[in-house]
């Protein structure tokens, strides 16, 4: 289409200045279009890497402040044991579940995360169970545990990697929609699965592409 317009400009009986201006406008438009195709993938990748670096810095800062050592993660982790999951939640379990909700909410705020999920009762192969506090309609708290990917933050493949890799935090991307951190908790046989949404990055790049 642009090439056709360019040929018409050159053939029609327009003045020299008009012809030059038309050629410049069309050439500039084509050049910008090609540049956008080349630069937008780099822009998206740069934004994704920046989001990952931000999460890494937030986790490192929280670690320096001993944030991950303040909660009763070992006790929380035990809520995911088969014995606890099969029995009715007692007063102690309900209190722990209530406290877990508060501790995870505090971490979400500190890390700027979308979700923080405790993966407890991890076996030697690195497989564990998400500990999911559930608040019922009457305000009481119990604990549900499931390996279903329907839970927020799933899948948890990075949790297994973090648990088995010398207990170091592991950072990764969850597709195009999130950055992830799996943070092993000392002495708890548990890992925190941190998820932060980056949905706005593809949306922003698509907006630039259309403009």
């Amino acid at each position: 289409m642009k090439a056709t317009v360019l040929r018409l400009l050159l053939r029609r009986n327009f003045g020299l200045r008009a012809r030059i201006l038309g050629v410049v406008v069309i050439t500039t438009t084509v050049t910008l279009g090609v540049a956008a195709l080349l630069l937008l993938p780099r822009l998206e990748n740069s934004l994704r890497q920046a989001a990952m670096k931000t999460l890494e810095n937030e986790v490192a800062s929280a670690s320096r402040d001993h944030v991950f050592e303040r909660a009763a993660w070992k006790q929380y982790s035990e809520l995911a044991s088969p014995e606890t999951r099969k029995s009715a939640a007692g007063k102690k379990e309900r209190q722990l579940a209530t406290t877990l909700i508060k501790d995870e909410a505090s971490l979400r705020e500190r890390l700027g995360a979308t979700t923080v999920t405790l993966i407890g009762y991890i076996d030697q192969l690195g497989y564990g169970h998400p500990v999911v506090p559930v608040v019922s309609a009457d305000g009481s708290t119990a604990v549900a545990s499931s390996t279903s990917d329907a839970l927020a933050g799933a899948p948890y493949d990075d949790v297994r990697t973090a648990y088995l890799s010398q207990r170091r935090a592991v950072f990764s991307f969850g597709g195009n929609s999130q950055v992830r951190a799996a943070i092993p908790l000392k002495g708890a046989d548990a890992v925190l699965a941190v998820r932060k949404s980056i949905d706005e990055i593809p949306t922003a790049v698509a907006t630039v592409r259309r403009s």
Side-chain angles (χ1 to χ4, degrees):
M1 177 63 181
K2 292 174 181 176
T4 301
V5 174
L6 179 59
R7 286 194 296 270
L8 288 173
L9 284 172
L10 293 175
R11 292 175 182 175
R12 293 286 297 274
N13 189 24
F14 293 118
L16 179 60
R17 290 184 180 180
R19 293 183 183 183
I20 293 174
L21 179 59
V23 170
V24 170
V25 169
I26 293 174
T27 302
T28 302
T29 301
V30 172
T31 301
L32 289 175
V34 172
L37 290 175
L38 294 175
L39 294 177
L40 284 178
R42 297 181 186 179
L43 171 62
E44 183 170 6
N45 182 64
S46 177
L47 292 173
R48 284 165 56 84
Q49 293 299 328
M52 175 75 77
K53 188 64 178 177
T54 297
L55 182 58
E56 290 177 3
N57 290 339
E58 294 293 348
V59 170
S61 175
S63 182
R64 286 193 298 271
D65 292 341
H66 306 286
V67 170
F68 302 115
E69 300 171 17
R70 296 175 187 171
W73 300 119
K74 182 174 177 59
Q75 292 177 286
Y76 297 153
S77 175
E78 291 171 355
L79 293 173
S81 69
E83 293 78 12
T84 302
R85 283 183 284 135
K86 290 179 181 178
S87 61
K91 182 178 179 180
K92 177 184 177 182
E93 287 77 19
R94 290 196 299 270
Q95 289 176 339
L96 283 172
T98 299
T99 309
L100 174 57
I101 291 175
K102 294 178 181 178
D103 285 337
E104 288 182 338
S106 177
L107 272 177
R108 282 197 304 272
E109 183 177 356
R110 171 67 188 258
L111 301 176
T114 306
T115 64
V116 173
T117 305
L118 176 67
I119 312 299
Y121 205 74
I122 300 178
D123 61 26
Q124 292 181 344
L125 297 177
Y127 295 104
H129 302 271
V131 182
V132 186
V134 177
V135 181
S136 63
D138 62 3
S140 61
T141 308
V143 176
S145 181
S146 170
T147 56
S148 171
D149 278 2
L151 295 171
Y156 298 111
D157 52 290
D158 57 327
V159 168
R160 182 171 183 265
T161 301
Y163 187 82
L164 297 176
S165 64
Q166 310 257 326
R167 293 195 168 271
R168 292 174 296 179
V170 171
F171 298 90
S172 60
F173 290 104
N176 293 323
S177 62
Q178 61 183 205
V179 288
R180 314 186 300 177
I183 308 166
L185 300 166
K186 295 179 180 178
D189 283 332
V191 175
L192 281 173
V194 179
R195 307 297 190 244
K196 186 173 184 178
S197 174
I198 54 172
D199 281 341
E200 67 275 11
I201 292 178
T203 301
V205 172
T207 301
V208 173
R209 184 179 287 111
R210 290 193 299 267
S211 62

